[in-house]
Amino acid sequence: MSSPALADAPRVATDIAPVHSLVSQVMDGVGTPDLIIPPAASPHGYAMRPSEARALSGADLVVWVGPALTPWMEEPLEALAPNATHLTLMDADGMTFLPFRGGEAFSVDHSHDHGHGHDHGHVEEHEAADPHIWLDPMNGAQMLTAIAHALAELDPDNAARYRQNAEAGRAQLAALTAEIDVQLAPAKDRPFIVFHDAFHYFEARFEIEAKAAVSTGDAAKPGAGRVASLRKQVDKVGVVCAFAEPQMDTGILATVIENQSTKIAILDPIGVDQPLGPDLYPELLRALATGMANCLRP
């Protein structure tokens, strides 16, 4: 039987598992949000099931990264949840934005200082920014604040609880960021490539940036020219690791690193193998750090 607090909690729909986790942290002890896009599905293109459409249409609050990540979601959001509050996390205060990186080899822009205690660089027009914003834990902390504020507006009776939960989540992320800094220190300056440019925020936060991406976009397969160029790059810089993602065909990666001592490892940017709930987001960041550290260690 539901407690009165749970029965009275705002109905919240979230787009992806990491956002669901952050909202779950803030709502802990009050209610549980719904998830629209299952972790195993690509957020860049997805057809909602009837149960997910119902969750969206019944929501008092919809929390999503924004149209840069899920362009297909704009229309159902307006059609199914026109009266709900829409919290677009890319519009939240205090967010750090980074550009997509292009070319066969990335050039790291050191004018954007991601060291601790400094102001972060940003993309002026954040609508054109890389939308994988949750992979910077400091962005995660800003999201917790924005989520708590939106929930407190909708549900003043539980406002103190939401703010307290968000504060605890921010403290947890600060400690985790320090822990990951130490864990990844030996891997700095160890060259690696990624399948697609999904991890820029995590890399930049911990000053451990990829040399290149195999794919030019989330669904794009590289042409023969790009593969040939990447093979030269791998050989030239002595790439230690090539990182793929879950459910991804690693065949092209294998071609790029053929006849090299480069290892292939899996990094999960969305939490495919993590149980849904408040722990998914910190565990996702921890798993990324461990995967990188294990593959890149000297």
Side-chain angles (χ1 to χ4, degrees):
M1 192 166 141
S2 295
S3 67
L6 194 60
D8 296 336
R11 293 166 299 176
V12 183
T14 61
D15 56 352
I16 58 171
V19 172
H20 178 273
S21 177
L22 289 165
V23 175
S24 296
Q25 288 183 40
V26 177
M27 293 187 77
D28 186 39
V30 180
T32 305
D34 290 310
L35 178 65
I36 302 299
I37 307 166
S42 170
H44 306 290
Y46 180 65
M48 283 190 294
R49 296 177 295 192
S51 60
E52 293 152 358
R54 281 195 298 275
L56 196 56
S57 65
D60 301 306
L61 171 66
V62 180
V63 185
W64 68 318
V65 172
L69 183 72
T70 51
W72 61 270
M73 201 168 152
E74 273 190 293
E75 198 173 308
L77 197 59
E78 292 304 326
L80 297 174
N83 299 318
T85 300
H86 300 169
L87 174 58
T88 303
L89 292 171
M90 286 189 80
D91 292 338
D93 289 340
M95 300 296 289
T96 295
F97 298 105
L98 295 172
F100 281 111
R101 295 171 289 190
E104 280 87 4
F106 296 154
S107 60
V108 178
D109 181 358
H110 292 292
S111 68
H112 296 329
D113 192 335
H114 283 77
H116 305 300
H118 297 281
D119 290 334
H120 289 191
H122 65 283
V123 178
E124 290 300 333
E125 294 296 330
H126 75 251
E127 291 82 1
D130 178 347
H132 300 85
I133 52 173
W134 66 93
L135 293 177
D136 179 348
M138 295 301 96
N139 277 348
Q142 297 301 123
M143 291 183 204
L144 286 168
T145 301
I147 292 162
H149 179 74
L151 283 165
E153 292 273 303
L154 281 173
D155 181 18
D157 288 348
N158 287 304
R161 182 64 176 265
Y162 297 137
R163 293 192 175 107
Q164 183 181 5
N165 286 345
E167 183 57 43
R170 285 193 296 271
Q172 179 190 34
L173 286 176
L176 179 58
T177 299
E179 176 189 316
I180 292 173
D181 255 335
V182 172
Q183 186 178 12
L184 288 178
K188 281 184 170 63
D189 303 319
R190 300 277 288 167
F192 65 95
I193 60 172
V194 292
F195 187 86
H196 96 282
D197 192 15
F199 303 99
H200 194 184
Y201 286 92
F202 188 86
E203 297 165 32
R205 168 59 55 193
F206 297 105
E207 299 174 351
I208 179 170
E209 301 209 31
K211 296 294 184 185
V214 172
S215 173
T216 54
D218 294 310
K221 288 192 174 179
R226 186 178 180 88
V227 169
S229 177
L230 283 163
R231 284 173 60 80
K232 288 179 187 169
Q233 174 79 358
V234 166
D235 183 48
K236 178 183 172 186
V237 302
V239 167
V240 175
C241 256
F243 290 112
E245 293 163 49
Q247 285 97 32
M248 186 173 280
D249 178 6
T250 57
I252 296 170
L253 262 185
T255 301
V256 169
I257 64 169
E258 192 177 8
N259 299 324
Q260 301 290 332
S261 58
T262 308
K263 294 176 282 187
I264 292 180
I266 304 295
L267 294 180
D268 174 12
I270 208 127
V272 171
D273 295 323
Q274 305 286 351
L276 288 177
D279 293 334
L280 179 143
Y281 181 69
E283 289 306 318
L284 165 66
L285 296 173
R286 193 173 273 115
L288 282 178
T290 299
M292 280 190 165
N294 287 347
C295 197
L296 290 170
R297 69 161 54 102

